[in-house]
């Protein structure tokens, strides 16, 4: 791919470039688009003072470098006509067809009039582009071409604008180009943005690079010649390219490793392009004979391509003068894919339709779009969406495989949970662990590049708030949040129902009855709700008082309260009661035992857990776990301190011996298992030997099946080798 450095660009340059790779292109469409755009922008100039049309022409020219079709070229020429002129969408649609019009609309900024802040407008514009991109991937390709030219010509705009465009480029567009496999576009965008985001560092780096320039050039030439000579010896035809790495990648390395330019190895990089895969391996062999390879730096992306189709061999060697250098070896076809990414997978078919050459090859694109759409569906707030996508895109990635060899890219430090959610939401929700390279691993295990992961699921599994700390990918985070939200809504509805039922009882009616006789519906209409669930939810979250609702319904039915003969704190045979487990142990309220309490169904606290009491109206005290999702939503004034009654616990004391690796944190992990079961550890004796540790825990258990569960859970702790019950 050539970089167009044409100073004065003309329509002919664009047409020539287009016909070069696409001889049957609909030239008339492009010409017509040019004439239309030129007339719409006739009175406009860019910040640089040039006629405005220069910009769309450059964008169109760049679109040709990606070898896209005439629809994209026309759309590139027209891309700013909706935004900066008054041309209506319908006019463009009528003149150039729906695909062109849709792309133009997709890349158009939303009008600033409708938004309070620039950020909000930016985020909303981005959401719109995302939706357009889901329908037609060409939208993002034209947008990237637009952004490349904007970054190249950012010098002429205000400083504020420079920083804003550069930041957005770094946050969203460079990472998107990266995910789509457009590596050169990504690097150019990053270098362009770097210049404006860190002007001092950029200048300093350039200055430093200039100092060693001559020496470096000599080094590049020397290595290049050496490789070429070796290739010639074996009559292998290949082309060697030598270059200094992109500024931003050098800068990032300096930052990450906290070093100066002198200390950064691999400032230079080489690329050898061959004709066949066999030659790639042959070249690798030659290079490894010339210079000593650095262990752990060889990557075979030919056998295991990146999800976006990128293939290449990467190696780092110790070159002349002990300089480290990176060498990439690939075929010309692979190179084309590395440069054009997703665009390389489109082929011209009959009737000049550009379409994916191979569905399999663009599967990663579908995955990416699905991921973005998921976030779009989950996050209603545009700013939230923007930042989730920013986080979701700009991660250092690792590649993890399914047992069938499908590859997923995940953020660095991703866990089996991330992987599970990347497969399917249902798989994520039910995930209990994984087999990583055949070995059992917990959900928070850190995955590494190249891991083969099988997810283990259970129908009894449900996500918890803790999961949000376990996952790294924004997709998994959004999915877990969505689940928890829906779940807490359901709980509130259920609670509302119970509260209402209880209040109705005082009038000797049931929920069932008022649903059947239409009284509930009447009440709903009176307060402007349309569904029963809405009412239950409002009662459940405390927006409506159950007592009020019940009284009004009763009034309308002409019912009066039946005299309350029962003592205030009498257990009520509701759902809450039935669901609270027996044998949990007693709870003390203010040191008193005889207070009417029940365990909340939503969090079902287990003995030993930190708990809090909630004073209900006429139903005594409900005990919630401190971790319960909806404790924070309840009226804080009605909370009371409660504690577990340690007296008279009827457990049986047992001793459990655990043999484990002697690693830091081991005891903590083990004791966490006990506390998860609500068990009080009475005594621990630890003996450490060679790399192994024996720990004997004395605890009270309630029954044998509980003991079995504990032993199972302990065996699953990473590093635990053996668990057995011993006689104490
Ligand atoms: Mn533009």
């Amino acid at each position: 791919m050539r970089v167009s450095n044409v100073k004065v660009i003309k329509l002919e340059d664009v047409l020539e470039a287009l016909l070069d790779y696409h001889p049957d292109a609909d030239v008339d469409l492009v010409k017509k688009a040019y004439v239309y755009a030129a007339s719409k922008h006739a009175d406009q100039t860019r910040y640089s003072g040039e006629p405005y049309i220069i910009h769309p022409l450059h964008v169109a020219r760049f679109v040709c470098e990606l070898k896209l079709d005439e629809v994209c070229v026309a759309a590139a020429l027209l891309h700013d006509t909706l935004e900066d002129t008054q041309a209506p969408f319908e006019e463009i649609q009528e003149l150039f067809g729906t695909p062109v019009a849709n792309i133009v609309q997709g890349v158009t900024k939303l009008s600033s009039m409708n938004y309070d802040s620039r950020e909000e407008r930016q985020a909303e514009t981005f959401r719109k582009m995302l939706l357009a991109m889901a329908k037609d991937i060409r939208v993002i390709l034209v947008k990237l071409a637009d952004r490349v030219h904007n970054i190249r010509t950012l010098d002429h705009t205000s400083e504020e604008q420079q920083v804003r465009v550069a930041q957005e480029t770094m946050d969203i567009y460079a990472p998107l180009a990266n995910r789509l496999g457009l590596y050169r576009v990504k690097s150019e965008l990053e270098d362009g943005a770097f210049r404006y985001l860190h002007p001092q560092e950029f200048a300093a780096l350039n200055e430093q690079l200039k100092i060693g320039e001559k020496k470096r050039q000599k080094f590049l030439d020397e290595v290049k010649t050496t490789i070429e000579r070796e290739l010639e010896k074996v009559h292998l035809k290949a082309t060697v390219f030598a270059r200094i790495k992109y500024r931003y990648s050098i800068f990032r390395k300096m930052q990450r490793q906290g070093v100066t330019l002198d200390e950064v190895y691999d400032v230079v990089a080489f690329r050898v392009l061959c004709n066949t895969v066999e030659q790639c391996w042959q070249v690798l062999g030659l290079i490894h004979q010339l210079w000593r390879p650095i262990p752990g730096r060889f990557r075979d992306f030919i056998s295991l391509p990146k999800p976006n189709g990128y293939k290449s061999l990467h190696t780092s060697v110790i070159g002349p003068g002990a300089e480290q250098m990176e060498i990439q070896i690939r075929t010309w076809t692979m190179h084309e894919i590395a440069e054009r990414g997703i665009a390389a997978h489109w082929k011209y078919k009959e009737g000049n339709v550009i379409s994916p050459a191979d569905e399999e090859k663009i599967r990663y694109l579908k995955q990416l779009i699905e991921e973005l759409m998921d976030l779009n569906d989950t996050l209603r707030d545009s700013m939230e969406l923007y930042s989730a996508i920013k986080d979701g895109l700009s991660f250092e990635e690792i590649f993890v495989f399914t047992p069938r060899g499908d590859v997923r890219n995940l953020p660095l430090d991703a866990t089996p949970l991330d992987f599970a959610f990347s497969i399917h939401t249902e798989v994520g929700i039910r995930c209990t662990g994984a087999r990583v390279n055949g070995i059992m691993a917990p959900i928070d295990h850190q995955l590494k590049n190249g891991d083969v992961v099988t997810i283990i699921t259970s129908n009894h599994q449900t996500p918890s708030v803790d999961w949000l700390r376990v996952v790294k990918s924004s997709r998994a985070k959004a999915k877990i949040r969505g689940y928890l939200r829906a779940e807490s809504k359901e709980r509130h509805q259920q609670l509302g129902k119970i509260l209402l039922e209880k209040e109705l009882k005082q009038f000797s009616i049931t929920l069932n009855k008022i649903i059947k006789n239409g009284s509930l519906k009447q009440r709903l209409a009176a307060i402007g709700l349309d569904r029963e669930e809405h009412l239950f939810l409002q009662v459940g979250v405390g927006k409506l008082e159950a007592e009020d609702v019940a009284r009004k319904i009763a009034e309308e039915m002409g019912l009066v309260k039946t005299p309350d003969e029962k003592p205030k704190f009498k257990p009520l045979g509701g759902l809450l009661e039935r669901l609270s487990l027996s044998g949990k142990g007693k709870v003390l309220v203010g040191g008193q035992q005889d207070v009417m309490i029940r365990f909340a169904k939503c969090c079902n606290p287990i003995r030993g857990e930190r708990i809090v009491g909630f004073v209900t109206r006429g139903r005594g005290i409900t005990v919630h776990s401190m971790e319960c999702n909806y404790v924070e939503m309840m009226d804080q004034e009605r909370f009371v301190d409660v504690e577990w009654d340690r007296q008279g616990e009827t457990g049986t004391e047992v001793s459990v011996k655990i043999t484990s690796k002697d690693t830091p944190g081991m005891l903590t992990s083990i004791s966490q298992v006990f506390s998860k079961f609500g068990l009080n550890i009475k005594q621990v004796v630890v003996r450490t030997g060679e790399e192994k540790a024996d720990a004997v825990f004395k605890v009270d258990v309630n029954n044998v099946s509980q003991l079995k569960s504990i032993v199972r859970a302990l065996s699953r702790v990473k590093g635990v080798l053996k668990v057995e019950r011993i006689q104490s």
Side-chain angles (χ1 to χ4, degrees):
M1 188 157 52
R2 283 169 300 156
V3 182
S4 68
N5 277 324
V6 201
K7 265 272 171 266
V8 183
I9 189 165
K10 295 198 202 70
L11 175 65
E12 284 68 39
D13 301 316
V14 174
L15 292 175
E16 196 184 307
L18 172 63
L19 290 169
D20 192 41
Y21 62 87
H22 186 19
D24 314 327
D26 182 354
V27 175
D28 286 343
L29 180 77
V30 177
K31 282 184 182 162
K32 204 163 78 177
Y34 171 76
V35 173
Y36 184 88
S39 77
K40 288 288 174 189
H41 294 302
D43 310 327
Q44 299 170 336
T45 48
R46 296 199 89 208
Y47 294 100
S48 59
E50 293 170 306
Y52 196 88
I53 191 69
I54 296 291
H55 167 62
L57 274 171
H58 272 291
V59 176
R61 180 68 184 77
F62 194 83
V63 159
C64 291
E65 287 180 30
L66 296 172
K67 299 189 185 169
L68 296 168
D69 62 353
E70 57 268 54
V71 168
C72 291
V73 179
L77 288 168
L78 296 166
H79 83 271
D80 276 337
T81 55
L82 273 181
E83 184 172 315
D84 298 333
T85 71
Q86 293 305 308
F89 173 82
E90 288 74 20
E91 191 172 301
I92 292 181
Q93 192 177 29
E94 200 179 304
L95 287 168
F96 305 99
T98 305
V100 172
N102 281 340
I103 297 174
V104 174
Q105 199 180 36
V107 300
T108 299
K109 267 205 293 273
L110 289 166
S111 159
S112 53
M113 291 188 314
N114 303 325
Y115 298 95
D116 292 342
S117 70
R118 184 168 266 162
E119 288 75 23
E120 205 185 322
R121 173 197 183 193
Q122 181 188 29
E124 215 28 81
T125 299
F126 182 71
R127 188 197 285 274
K128 182 180 68 74
M129 189 200 71
L130 211 61
L131 293 167
M133 167 186 160
K135 286 196 205 112
D136 190 339
I137 187 66
R138 291 177 293 187
V139 169
I140 183 63
L141 297 173
V142 173
K143 182 71 198 177
L144 287 173
D146 179 34
R147 191 43 67 102
V148 165
H149 191 244
N150 283 339
I151 279 278
R152 281 180 189 172
T153 54
L154 211 49
D155 254 351
H156 303 288
T157 61
S158 71
E159 202 171 306
E160 191 209 337
Q161 168 116 339
Q162 287 172 353
V163 172
R164 190 159 41 80
V165 171
Q167 192 64 56
E168 191 190 37
T169 303
M170 203 62 112
D171 286 348
I172 299 273
Y173 293 105
L176 257 177
N178 180 52
R179 287 289 288 274
L180 293 170
L182 296 126
Y183 290 111
R184 205 182 62 88
V185 171
K186 172 217 163 205
S187 302
E188 176 159 2
L189 289 178
E190 278 179 351
D191 266 18
F194 169 40
R195 208 178 134 193
Y196 297 100
L197 292 176
H198 306 275
Q200 275 143 24
E201 288 84 347
F202 182 82
L205 181 58
N206 266 343
E207 196 59 40
Q208 284 171 301
L209 283 171
K210 213 172 240 162
I211 295 168
E213 201 172 45
K214 272 212 180 102
K215 204 178 123 212
R216 205 167 291 115
Q217 193 54 50
K218 225 183 105 202
F219 179 81
L220 288 172
D221 291 342
E222 183 191 338
V223 170
K224 185 171 183 265
T225 323
T226 311
I227 298 174
E228 281 168 346
R229 225 181 4 244
E230 286 304 305
L231 290 171
E232 220 164 280
K233 273 192 212 159
V234 294
H235 307 292
L236 200 155
K237 261 192 138 170
T239 312
V240 185
F241 294 96
R243 65 180 174 99
I244 295 185
K245 283 193 171 171
Y246 280 98
R247 302 285 193 274
Y248 185 64
S249 79
I250 298 174
F251 171 69
R252 268 224 329 217
K253 203 166 255 182
M254 288 165 64
Q255 264 197 329
R256 216 169 25 216
Q257 301 171 348
V259 294
T260 61
L261 182 65
D262 293 334
E263 296 165 294
V264 176
Y265 52 81
D266 294 331
V267 171
V268 294
F270 299 86
R271 196 170 280 154
V272 185
L273 300 183
C274 345
N275 292 317
T276 67
V277 176
E278 290 71 35
Q279 287 176 347
C280 292
W281 288 100
Q282 214 180 330
V283 171
L284 181 79
L286 286 177
I287 283 166
H288 281 179
Q289 270 169 34
L290 277 171
W291 300 291
R292 198 159 58 80
I294 300 164
R297 296 286 298 274
F298 171 65
R299 299 287 294 276
D300 173 10
F301 290 115
I302 294 182
S303 310
L304 293 174
K306 288 189 186 180
N308 60 25
Y310 176 86
K311 289 183 185 175
S312 189
L313 297 177
H314 291 188
T315 187
S316 288
V317 297
I318 301 179
E323 285 271 350
Q324 295 196 11
M325 54 192 196
E326 188 189 288
I327 300 169
Q328 302 179 345
I329 308 156
R330 54 198 187 219
T331 66
W332 286 95
T333 317
M334 293 172 192
H335 185 58
E336 168 121 354
I337 290 168
E339 301 270 280
R340 289 173 54 217
I342 188 74
H345 297 307
W346 257 256
K347 288 278 177 290
Y348 294 98
K349 295 194 172 158
E350 270 172 85
N352 292 335
V353 183
I354 193 167
S355 65
D358 186 347
E359 287 291 327
E360 191 55 31
K361 285 193 177 127
I362 59 150
R363 217 157 47 103
Y364 80 93
L365 173 67
K366 287 198 178 136
Q367 197 194 326
L368 173 66
I369 287 180
E370 196 186 295
E371 225 172 275
L372 297 175
M373 283 304 112
D374 251 7
L375 290 175
N376 177 63
D377 293 344
T378 318
L379 303 169
R380 287 273 138 243
D381 181 64
S382 281
M383 308 279 274
E384 222 180 294
L385 172 72
Y386 184 87
S387 84
I389 287 183
K390 183 180 109 187
D391 293 346
L393 286 172
S394 52
F395 51 71
E396 235 178 291
E397 50 191 3
I398 56 168
F399 302 103
V400 179
F401 298 87
T402 69
R404 279 158 57 201
D406 291 341
V407 61
R408 303 272 154 170
N409 41 358
L410 296 173
L412 195 71
D413 297 335
T415 60
L417 264 189
D418 288 294
F419 185 78
F421 278 102
S422 89
I423 291 174
H424 198 280
T425 309
E426 250 340 273
V427 178
I429 284 172
R430 305 272 168 250
C431 174
T432 54
R435 246 189 295 279
V436 178
N437 307 319
I439 297 162
M440 288 294 294
I443 56 170
D444 60 351
H445 174 85
Q446 260 180 26
L447 295 174
K448 285 188 297 295
N449 235 326
D451 278 346
V452 178
V453 181
T454 315
I455 293 297
I456 298 163
T457 58
S458 156
N459 285 335
H460 303 299
Q461 180 69 305
T462 49
S464 68
V465 191
D466 300 345
W467 283 24
L468 291 169
R469 283 192 292 273
V470 171
V471 297
K472 291 284 177 300
S473 60
S474 40
R475 176 192 171 95
K477 273 193 190 132
K479 287 289 166 191
I480 294 166
R481 282 214 183 90
Y483 179 91
L484 293 174
R485 251 201 298 266
E487 194 198 34
S488 99
K489 196 172 148 191
E490 205 174 293
R491 280 179 190 160
H492 282 114
Q493 276 178 10
Q494 195 145 11
L495 181 70
K497 222 167 151 177
I498 292 164
L499 293 178
L500 198 57
E501 184 85 80
K502 197 243 151 192
E503 292 298 333
L504 289 168
K505 217 173 178 178
Q506 304 193 39
F507 298 96
S508 302
I509 40 170
T510 62
L511 200 52
N512 240 337
K513 189 168 175 196
I514 61 160
I515 290 172
K516 276 192 185 139
N517 74 9
S519 304
L520 184 64
K521 212 164 231 160
Q522 231 174 11
R523 191 74 238 141
L524 283 176
I527 47 180
L529 294 173
D530 52 332
R531 283 171 51 197
E532 293 159 13
E533 286 79 17
H534 294 161
L535 179 88
F536 299 150
L537 183 63
Q538 297 228 336
V539 172
V541 299
K543 272 193 186 160
L544 287 175
E545 282 286 350
E547 203 187 333
D548 267 9
V549 177
R551 202 186 52 240
K552 280 177 186 147
I553 289 176
E555 272 169 20
E556 264 154 44
M557 290 171 72
L559 296 170
V560 283
K561 220 171 187 170
T562 45
D564 195 359
E565 292 155 9
K566 302 157 202 164
K568 245 195 169 166
F569 284 162
K570 178 126 202 272
L572 120 261
L575 248 179
L576 280 170
E577 177 97 280
R578 251 182 285 139
L579 288 164
S580 71
L581 296 177
S582 57
K584 254 180 198 289
K586 285 176 180 162
V587 169
L588 301 178
V589 181
Q592 295 295 305
Q593 250 200 33
D594 291 327
V595 183
M596 156 61 199
I597 64 108
R598 77 179 57 75
F599 295 102
K601 184 225 159 200
C602 46
C603 49
N604 210 6
I606 297 163
R607 194 168 76 195
E609 235 186 331
R610 297 202 313 139
I611 46 174
V612 68
F614 183 72
V615 183
T616 64
R617 298 222 169 115
R619 290 175 301 118
I621 288 165
T622 313
V623 176
H624 289 264
S625 155
M626 291 279 233
E627 311 296 323
C628 176
N629 271 339
Y630 90 60
V631 158
E632 51 183 301
M633 302 178 217
M634 298 191 294
D635 184 2
Q636 304 292 317
E637 308 244 333
R638 284 155 69 184
F639 280 133
V640 288
D641 283 334
V642 292
E643 56 186 323
W644 297 101
D645 187 2
R646 300 269 171 214
Q647 289 249 305
E649 280 175 358
T650 52
T652 317
E653 186 182 287
V654 294
S655 296
V656 182
K657 185 177 162 195
I658 299 149
T659 310
S660 68
K661 287 183 187 161
D662 188 17
T663 50
M666 199 67 233
L667 270 183
T668 319
S669 313
I670 292 171
S671 56
Q672 270 167 4
V673 172
F674 287 109
S675 58
K676 250 186 217 160
F677 280 88
L679 295 190
N680 205 12
I681 299 166
K682 292 173 136 184
Q683 193 189 38
V684 189
V685 182
V686 184
R687 267 183 225 97
T688 50
E690 279 179 31
E691 291 170 5
K692 271 190 200 171
D694 276 341
V696 177
F697 281 75
K698 242 180 219 173
V699 288
D700 279 337
V701 295
N702 291 334
N703 50 48
V704 179
S705 81
Q706 187 185 34
L707 179 62
K708 277 185 184 161
S709 315
I710 292 160
V711 170
R712 258 200 309 277
L714 286 168
S715 321
R716 278 200 295 266
V717 173
K718 205 173 149 191
V720 165
L721 306 168
K722 193 176 170 195
V723 182
E724 57 187 323
R725 184 179 174 186
I726 55 165
Q727 297 302 321
S728 45

